[in-house]
Amino acid sequence: MSDTVESVIVAIDGPSGTGKSSTSKAVAAKLGLSYLDTGAQYRAITWWMIDNGVDVGDPAAVADAAGKPVIVSGTDPSHPTITVDGVDVSGPIRTQEVTSKVSAVSAVPEIRARITDLQRSIAATAPHGIVVEGRDIGTTVLPDADLKIFLTASPEARAARRAGEIKGADVAATREALVRRDAADSSRKTSPLAKADDAVEVDTTDLTLQQVIECVVTFVEEKRAATR
Ligand SMILES: Nc1ncnc2c1ncn2[C@@H]1O[C@H](COP(=O)(O)OP(=O)(O)OP(=O)(O)O)[C@@H](O)[C@H]1O
Ligand SMILES: Nc1ccn([C@@H]2O[C@H](COP(=O)(O)O)[C@@H](O)[C@H]2O)c(=O)n1
């Protein structure tokens, strides 16, 4: 990538299954930017709590342990990585147990403060800019991002996408689980899932992944052209 291209910070938020990870990775790879999956960080700290016998239903116990695990995120969009205390947890953080407990852990203010600091330092040191995806990036983590996107899609479309990843998955149960997780993430007190006032909303229900990627790449290019 040329050093003459300006650095750009892109925040992509939205509920589960709207295409944040797939879109963010592809946009970052295409534009030579770094990529940060903030959901993976919350999953990693949740995995550590479970592995260390912390009761994730007890916010005080989770808060007490919040500073203990060392979480490291690799930001190459073609090979994102996540380790906890040096252990690769990219597989274990995707289990059903972690998915069902991550909203309780991510609602604890001490957890959010720790992970938000980490996210800001990663974004600040990305050499050519970064695409950061999550739930509160545009509202809280990077409120001065150059571009903010909020992806949405109907619960039916999101459930069909997610169920399509697992052979024999029940679409109705998948829909119920993701709606429940979105409700928990949207109703917590500290930096809930929300669209920033200055975010561009993109409804992906009837768009292919390729169309969403092209749409976001166009927004980034327009933003860069406007600031030249
Ligand atoms: N526009 C689209 N059309 C069809 N399938 C899509 C689209 N966008 C994403 N997908 C597929 O939907 C699934 C979920 O996408 P992805 O993991 O990117 O969503 P997400 O918003 O990051 O979800 P989560 O927040 O739960 O991690 C993936 O299998 C992905 O390939
Ligand atoms: N900025 C963020 C990102 C994620 N979370 C929490 O992590 C969970 C897992 O996220 P995925 O994107 O991997 O599905 C999510 O349900 C939130 O509880 C968050 O709080 N803030």
Side-chain angles (χ1 to χ4, degrees), residues 21 36 111 120 201 208 214:
S21 301
L36 180 61
I111 293 285
R120 287 180 178 151
E201 185 166 330
T208 64
E214 279 162 20

Side-chain angles (χ1 to χ4, degrees), residues 89-104:
V89 292
S90 48
I93 63 169
R94 304 289 164 192
T95 61
Q96 193 46 47
E97 184 179 20
V98 171
T99 301
S100 67
K101 293 179 172 166
V102 63
S103 293

